[in-house]
Every structure is written in C-alpha cells, then in structure tokens.
Amino acid sequence: LDAMNLERYRAEVRDLETESAQPAFWEDQVAAQRTMAKLNEKNEIIRRAQSWKDAIDNADAALELASLDAENTELSNSAREPSEDNEAAELLREAARVLIETRRDLEQWELQQLLSGAHDSKACTLQITAGAGGTDAQDWADMLLRMYQRWAQRKGFSARLLEYTPGEEAGVKSALLEISGAYAYGYLRTEKGAHRLVRLSPFNAQSKRQTSFAGVEVTPVLFEDEAVAVDIPERDLEISTMRAGGKGGQNVNKVETAVRVVHLPTGIAIRCAEERTQLMNKERALSMLKARLLVIAEEQRLRELADVRGDTVDAAWGNQIRNYVMHPYQMVKDTR
C-alpha cells in the first residue's frame, strides 16, 4: 500500500472534484465526461486500496482473538463452552476467505498495471464473422459470441449486442458486440484473429469431423474528441443506407436508417443499425471506423492513414490464433 502512494491519488481526486464543481464545468460535455471518468478511476483505486487494508486489519484481529482464545483454552479447558470453540473457528474461516478474495483482487490489479496501452482502459467492440466452414462456421461464430458475453458477465462488464446477422440454417454470419468495463479493450485486444474449431459436426448426417473458422476483430471505443481528431477525407469513404428491419416500428422498417460505411483505401466496412435515425447511425459507424484505423496505425508504427492498406482477419487455414479441438480429443491451444 505504501508503494501505491495513495496521498497522490487523494490529491488528484481533490483537484478533479474542485474542477467538477465549477459553474461552467458541464458546458463542454465531452471534456466533462472525461474528467468524471478520471475521477471515478481514481476513487476506485482508493476504494480498492482501502478494502485491502481493511481485510488485512480484520484478519490480524481475527488471528489475535484466536490466539487469545487458545491461551484461555489451555488455562480453563474444563469450563469452556462448545459454542466458544465454534465462534473462534468461524472467525478464522472468515479471515481466510477474506484474505483469499483480497489476493485475487491484488492479482487482478497487478494485471491491470500491465495494460498500459493508449486505449487499454477503454471499452471495446468485437466484430465476430463466420469464416470457412459453412453452417458449422456460422454455428462456431455464435458459440464465440456467447462465450464473450458470458466472460463479460463474469467480469461484471456490460455487453450490448449492436448488430446481429443470423445464419441461413443456424448460428450467425456476423455480430457486433460492445463490452463496457474497466480495461475491457486491454483484456480483449489479443483475441483478434482467426479462431479454429475441430469437432464432430452436428450438421453432418454421418457425424464426420469438421474444421471451421471464425474471425474476431477488436476495436476500442473512442471518446468523442478523439474521434473528431481523426480526419478521414470524404473521397476515401463510400456511404450507403438501407432499411434496418426488426423491432422499432415504421421508422426502422420503412425508412433507410441503417448505414454502411466503407473505407476505400483499406477495404474496411462498418455497418450500424442500432440507432433510430440515419444520422446517429452514420456518426456511430464513422466513430467505429476511426477507432479501427487508429488500431491499424498503431500496429503499423503509426504510418500515414492514407498509406494503410488494412490488417484484416482471414478466417481460414493457416491464420488461426487459437485451436479448439473437440474430437478425437479435447484441447484448446493458442498458436501464437
């Protein structure tokens, strides 16, 4: 706890609270939201450190009580009630449970300190696309979608399905999932690539072994001012509109609210149909495209965006990052 220098965090919290109390603070909505995000992050660090200290103090107190209890037992063993022994044992069990939870939280905090990339602390979107393998690949893409949703649920993150294109027989052709939580992009950025599944196909009448692929693209969710800072020439964009369909009444079924944006130099295509209006879908699609281009620029040593030709995932043989083998044996192997 001494190495964390909590006084520095407390001083930063006081400065941020003073800034947020200014009358003109909310005139710039984007800057205000970023300031509040920083304030929440600092407060969370202080809260976690205080919880670690409280857990250690409570464990020390429980051990001290148990030690005194053991000494009293030796002095007056005959006059001791069984309920007193149960209370001492319960104290020790509770102290052990709290210390185990504290250790897990410390390990998670240490991992988060390694996630020091420019966008690691942000939320992210996952684009899951079925690759080679036909219906099995579409079913595999749907399995990956559920896997990431359940992972987000266990981590306490929120997962929102932004776009879903069902398969013809089963599964999903493509899906866009937004995961919001602390360091969501840092945790998931290494999931980018082709995922390979080997199993006995439930869609094959002879139950033959089938190999299928699905591609995963991971992109951070940018703040509004970061998205504005990325300038994409209009000549590099191809924007088309279409009907979104599904729930939403006449507006989405009769008006072309869905937007598809294609970045011509890289071939990256983003489709957004979540919002109720075409303008909002266009803004969201452009923001997602800019985030994807920023990731590509970082991966290619910040070359000019005009020279970027893309770093897309080819969900096929030889490009997988992880193998999931269900038959004739069970194994998950990362090939990187």
Side-chain angles (χ1 to χ4, degrees):
L1 294 177
D2 294 336
M4 291 182 65
N5 193 6
L6 288 180
E7 285 303 319
R8 175 173 63 87
Y9 287 108
R10 292 191 179 100
E12 291 177 358
V13 166
R14 287 193 292 270
D15 293 340
L16 291 171
E17 287 178 343
T18 302
E19 181 182 350
S20 64
Q22 299 301 317
F25 176 70
W26 288 102
E27 289 183 2
D28 188 344
Q29 294 280 336
V30 176
Q33 289 174 1
R34 297 197 68 171
T35 300
M36 295 305 295
K38 289 180 182 178
L39 178 60
N40 292 335
E41 180 182 353
K42 305 300 181 185
N43 278 326
E44 177 63 16
I45 292 174
I46 295 173
R47 185 200 64 79
R48 291 178 77 174
Q50 187 62 44
S51 69
W52 301 334
K53 183 178 183 302
D54 292 342
I56 294 172
D57 291 343
N58 292 337
D60 286 339
L63 288 173
E64 187 176 351
L65 288 173
S67 177
L68 292 174
D69 193 68
E71 293 177 2
N72 293 333
T73 301
E74 294 176 358
L75 294 176
S76 56
N77 193 28
S78 60
R80 187 171 179 80
E81 294 292 336
S83 60
E84 297 179 6
D85 292 332
N86 294 336
E87 290 177 3
E90 183 63 28
L91 280 174
L92 290 176
R93 283 195 294 270
E94 179 66 18
R97 183 188 65 79
V98 171
L99 287 177
I100 290 173
E101 292 179 356
T102 302
R103 181 179 179 181
R104 290 174 181 168
D105 195 30
L106 278 167
E107 291 174 350
Q108 184 179 11
W109 182 81
E110 289 177 355
L111 175 60
Q112 290 177 352
Q113 302 317 297
L114 300 176
L115 304 177
S116 56
H119 306 294
D120 283 354
S121 62
K122 294 185 174 69
C124 68
T125 58
L126 279 80
Q127 178 76 45
I128 303 172
T129 308
T135 303
D136 278 280
Q138 294 173 9
D139 188 48
W140 172 225
D142 196 28
M143 292 165 63
L144 283 175
L145 174 62
R146 296 196 303 272
M147 180 183 77
Y148 290 124
Q149 288 175 322
R150 290 176 181 175
W151 175 87
Q153 185 179 16
R154 287 199 302 270
K155 296 288 288 185
F157 295 166
S158 66
R160 188 163 55 128
L161 194 60
L162 302 182
E163 190 262 334
Y164 186 91
T165 304
E168 296 173 356
E169 296 182 34
V172 56
K173 292 182 178 179
S174 67
L176 185 62
L177 182 68
E178 182 181 86
I179 297 180
S180 301
Y183 296 94
Y185 178 68
Y187 283 123
L188 292 169
R189 64 178 180 177
T190 55
E191 292 298 304
K192 175 183 177 181
H195 295 246
R196 172 175 174 251
L197 172 69
V198 180
R199 64 170 178 173
L200 295 177
S201 173
F203 304 101
N204 189 295
Q206 288 144 4
S207 295
K208 291 184 177 180
R209 195 170 77 154
Q210 177 78 29
T211 298
S212 49
F213 295 86
V216 177
E217 291 277 358
V218 186
T219 308
V221 176
L222 300 181
F223 291 109
E224 290 185 22
D225 55 342
E226 292 176 318
V228 171
V230 180
D231 183 29
I232 304 177
E234 287 288 336
R235 64 178 180 275
D236 290 344
L237 296 176
E238 180 183 283
I239 301 176
S240 56
T241 60
M242 64 212 73
R243 294 181 184 178
K247 299 178 182 178
Q250 294 185 9
N251 187 57
V252 298
N253 288 296
K254 294 187 176 181
V255 181
E256 293 187 344
T257 56
V259 175
R260 185 174 185 266
V261 180
V262 180
H263 187 243
L264 298 177
T266 61
I268 297 174
I270 303 291
R271 182 181 183 272
C272 186
E274 180 202 6
E275 306 294 344
R276 292 294 184 93
T277 66
Q278 187 182 113
L279 179 60
M280 295 175 67
N281 279 323
K282 179 181 177 182
E283 291 177 351
R284 188 172 185 85
L286 286 173
S287 178
M288 293 166 61
L289 174 62
K290 291 175 180 179
R292 183 79 64 83
L293 293 177
L294 278 179
V295 172
I296 293 176
E298 289 178 5
E299 291 175 350
Q300 301 187 357
R301 299 181 182 273
L302 301 179
R303 289 191 299 175
E304 293 294 330
L305 288 177
D307 297 328
V308 175
R309 290 298 176 265
D311 188 16
T312 58
V313 172
D314 186 12
W317 278 101
N319 299 313
Q320 66 269 18
I321 63 169
R322 194 176 299 131
N323 292 322
Y324 304 76
V325 180
M326 301 298 180
H327 184 80
Y329 50 87
Q330 293 186 357
M331 178 187 71
V332 177
K333 181 179 179 182
D334 201 300
T335 60
R336 289 168 292 184

